[in-house]
Amino acid sequence: MQTTRRRFLGMTAMAAGAIALPNTIMAATGRRPNLNIAVQDLRTILEPVDGSSIANVSWRVQYSIFDQLLRTDYNDNFRLNFALATSLKQIDATIHEITLRDNVKFHDGSTMTADDVVFSLGPDRLRGEKAPGAAVFANFLSSLADVQKINDRTVRLITRTEDPVFAQRLGAWGTQIISARARAGASSYDAWAAKPIGTGPYKIGEVRNGDEITLVAHDEYWGGQPPFASIRFKRLPEIAARIAGLKSGDYDIVTDITPDHIAEIEGVNGLSIVGGEAMWFRFLTFAPLRTPILKDVDLRRALALAIDRGALADGLWDGRAKALTSWQLPIFGEINDPNRKGVSYDPAQVKGLLAKSSYRGEEIPYPSVGTYYPMQLAENQALVEMWKAAGINVKLIMCENWTQVGDIGGINDTSGGAFYADPVSMLWQIIGPTNDLQSTGGWTNAEFNALGHELETTTDLAKRQAAFKRMQDIVEIEDPCITPLHSMPFIYGQKADVSWQPNPLPQMYLGPKMPPEPVA
C-alpha cells in the first residue's frame, strides 16, 4: 500500500521546524535596502575556524563575512573559481604556489598581504594541536603541512602527501583569511571571535548575545558593491513567530519552513516560497563500541534495512526530498560504481538477519534533541515505528542538548553534505578518524581508515575507485556504522520582491554576484 503524506504523518506526533535553502540574493533597484532575516538559531562566535562554527546555523551567517583563497560555485556544478587567490600553480606533488589578488581590503581598511595568509593558515590559528581551528583543520584541510611566504603577493602551500583534492579543499571551508594585525591587536581570543576582521562583502556590526547579529556593507569589497546596506539575523526558534513576522513585514526572509506551512505563506499576497532539495543529507550513525547490543553486525544491518527511506522523504517532505540509498552522488562522476545498489527497504532480509543475530528484543537507545533539524521529532518517531514493525525495540530519548546526546551513544541522527565534488568531502569527512563517531570512541575500523587515507592521498583513479567501493562495502555490510536517509530540503519564506538564486548547501551568500574566474 502506498504511503500518503496524511497517513505517514498520522504515524507520529508532528514536530514543527525546518531548515532553509542557502541562496544568493540580488539587490533591489534604487537605494540599497536593509535586509531582515528571521532564523531558527544563531551562533554568536563568528571566527569561522572555531570548533563551534562547524554548524549549519553558523555557515549561513559567516559565508558573507569572509573570503577564501578559492571559491566553489555550487550553482555551477561545484565549479572551482579564484577568489582571494588569482592563480594556483602546482610545483610538484606536494607544493602549490598561489598568487594573491591585489588591493583586497579588510573590514578595517587595511590591505591583505601574504602575511595574513600565512597567519590565517598557520599553527596558532588553524594547524596547531591546541589552535582554535584544530577541529576545522582536521575536517577540511588535514593534508596541509606548511605555508610559506615568498613575497607580499605569493605564498606556497605544502602538503604532507600527494592530495588529489587539495585545490577543492581551498574552496570548501577553513581557508577564510583574516587580518593577522587585527588578531594580534585583540584583547583576547573571545573578544576576537565575537567580532573578527575578514575581507567579505559584509562586516560585523552589532552582536546581541545569542539573539541577533547585524552585518553592514563593506563598500571597499574587491568583488563589487554589496547589494544590501545591512543584514540583520534575528533568532526566532518558533516557526509560528517567524511566519507571523514575515506576514507583518518585520522580516524579508524567514528560514526553516516545513511543508505544512508552505500554503500558509503562498496564500498571502506579496509572499512566496523558495528553496527545496539541497546537496545536504540526513543520516544515522551507530555506536557499537559504546552500546553493547549494537556490537552484533546483523542487528545493525537490520536496523538499516528496516527503514523505508522513500516513505520518510515523501511523507515528511511531500515530495521535496529524495531518498538516499548510498554515499555516491552524481557530482562525484567517474569515481562512482555504476552498479552499486546501496541499502534499501527489505523487510524479508531484516527478518532473516534478526533470526540469525543475537538480538532478543533488548532496548536500543536513540537519543535526540528533536528540534534542531527540520521535521526532526517527526522523523525520530517515524523511525521508531518502522523499527517496531520489524521487531526491533528502539527507545527514543529526548535530550536538552547535543552533549547529552553524545553521552548516551546508541543510534544518533545527524546531517552532512558534499562541500566539493569528491567522496573525500562526504563519507570520509563524516566518519573518518578525526570526526565525532570515531573520535568519541563509538566505532572504528582499521581497514576503512587505511582506505580513506588512500582515497585522499593518491591521484590514481583506479585505486581511488577501488578504495571508495570497498569503504562503502564496509559501512553497509561488514561493519555498519552509518546509514543514509534522505536529502534535507532547505525552504525559505520571503517577500516576493526579493530575488533568490538557490545554493544547495547551508551557506547563505548575500553579497554581489561574482563573475566566473574558473581554476583550470
Side-chain angles (χ1 to χ4, degrees), residues 432-461:
T434 62
N435 293 286
D436 286 348
L437 185 63
Q438 292 204 56
S439 66
T440 59
W443 173 87
T444 192
N445 184 290
E447 184 185 2
F448 178 89
N449 290 341
L451 290 164
H453 179 70
E454 182 172 28
L455 185 70
E456 66 175 352
T457 58
T458 180
T459 58
D460 186 301
L461 178 59

Side-chain angles (χ1 to χ4, degrees), residues 360-415:
R360 297 297 178 266
E362 297 91 335
E363 190 174 87
I364 302 170
Y366 179 21
S368 174
V369 295
T371 57
Y372 181 80
Y373 295 116
M375 311 300 290
Q376 186 176 14
L377 181 58
E379 181 150 273
N380 296 156
Q381 293 167 330
L383 285 166
V384 169
E385 291 299 316
M386 289 178 181
W387 287 320
K388 181 179 179 181
I392 307 174
N393 179 17
V394 176
K395 181 180 180 181
L396 182 61
I397 303 170
M398 302 313 300
C399 300
E400 294 181 2
N401 52 57
W402 288 106
T403 300
Q404 291 181 2
V405 170
D407 288 342
I408 292 173
I411 303 169
N412 278 199
D413 67 311
T414 184
S415 75

Side-chain angles (χ1 to χ4, degrees), residues 196-505:
I197 302 295
T199 65
Y202 297 92
K203 53 190 174 183
I204 302 164
E206 184 178 10
V207 178
R208 294 184 179 178
N209 194 28
D211 180 63
E212 190 173 304
I213 297 172
T214 299
L215 309 181
V216 297
H218 173 42
D219 285 329
E220 291 185 281
Y221 184 54
W222 62 268
Q225 185 183 65
F228 300 101
S230 69
I231 303 168
R232 179 173 70 112
F233 295 90
K234 174 69 175 178
R235 181 179 180 270
L236 287 179
E238 297 297 327
I239 189 172
R242 296 196 297 276
I243 293 175
L246 180 66
K247 289 180 176 180
S248 68
D250 292 337
Y251 302 103
D252 304 292
I253 302 168
V254 297
T255 70
D256 310 306
I257 302 301
T258 62
D260 285 3
H261 290 278
I262 288 175
E264 183 180 354
I265 293 172
E266 289 184 328
V268 177
N269 186 37
L271 300 183
S272 65
I273 287 289
V274 295
E277 188 185 358
M279 199 64 68
W280 204 255
F281 308 98
R282 292 291 308 283
F283 53 86
L284 303 174
T285 62
F286 308 133
L289 298 183
R290 300 180 58 202
T291 314
I293 188 61
L294 289 179
K295 290 182 179 179
D296 191 303
V297 170
D298 290 326
L299 173 59
R300 280 181 273 151
R301 288 192 67 197
L303 282 164
L305 294 170
I307 299 169
D308 188 340
R309 291 160 179 80
L312 286 177
D314 293 340
L316 289 173
W317 289 104
D318 201 19
R320 292 174 182 262
K322 290 184 179 179
L324 186 68
T325 59
S326 80
W327 299 103
Q328 299 188 153
L329 301 177
I331 59 171
F332 294 167
E334 58 187 351
I335 198 171
N336 287 330
D337 176 5
N339 298 316
R340 188 166 204 90
K341 295 181 179 179
V343 293
S344 60
Y345 178 51
D346 192 337
Q349 190 174 3
V350 169
K351 185 176 180 180
L353 287 166
L354 290 177
K356 69 176 184 176
S357 76
S358 61
Y359 182 65
R360 297 297 178 266
E362 297 91 335
E363 190 174 87
I364 302 170
Y366 179 21
S368 174
V369 295
T371 57
Y372 181 80
Y373 295 116
M375 311 300 290
Q376 186 176 14
L377 181 58
E379 181 150 273
N380 296 156
Q381 293 167 330
L383 285 166
V384 169
E385 291 299 316
M386 289 178 181
W387 287 320
K388 181 179 179 181
I392 307 174
N393 179 17
V394 176
K395 181 180 180 181
L396 182 61
I397 303 170
M398 302 313 300
C399 300
E400 294 181 2
N401 52 57
W402 288 106
T403 300
Q404 291 181 2
V405 170
D407 288 342
I408 292 173
I411 303 169
N412 278 199
D413 67 311
T414 184
S415 75
F419 279 83
Y420 47 90
D422 192 273
V424 168
S425 76
M426 186 70 164
L427 184 61
W428 180 237
Q429 185 169 292
I430 289 171
I431 58 168
T434 62
N435 293 286
D436 286 348
L437 185 63
Q438 292 204 56
S439 66
T440 59
W443 173 87
T444 192
N445 184 290
E447 184 185 2
F448 178 89
N449 290 341
L451 290 164
H453 179 70
E454 182 172 28
L455 185 70
E456 66 175 352
T457 58
T458 180
T459 58
D460 186 301
L461 178 59
K463 290 181 179 179
R464 302 190 79 234
Q465 289 171 327
F468 185 37
K469 181 179 184 298
R470 179 67 185 140
M471 290 168 73
Q472 293 181 87
D473 289 342
I474 291 170
V475 299
E476 288 177 8
I477 302 169
E478 298 176 18
D479 191 7
C481 66
I482 188 170
T483 194
L485 296 175
H486 54 80
S487 60
M488 188 171 78
F490 296 151
I491 304 175
Y492 286 81
Q494 65 160 27
K495 292 181 179 178
D497 60 356
V498 176
S499 179
W500 293 75
Q501 183 183 357
N503 180 333
L505 287 183

Side-chain angles (χ1 to χ4, degrees), residues 165-181:
V165 295
F166 185 66
Q168 287 91 331
R169 291 183 193 269
L170 298 181
W173 194 260
T175 67
Q176 291 90 342
I177 303 305
I178 63 167
S179 167
R181 180 180 298 178

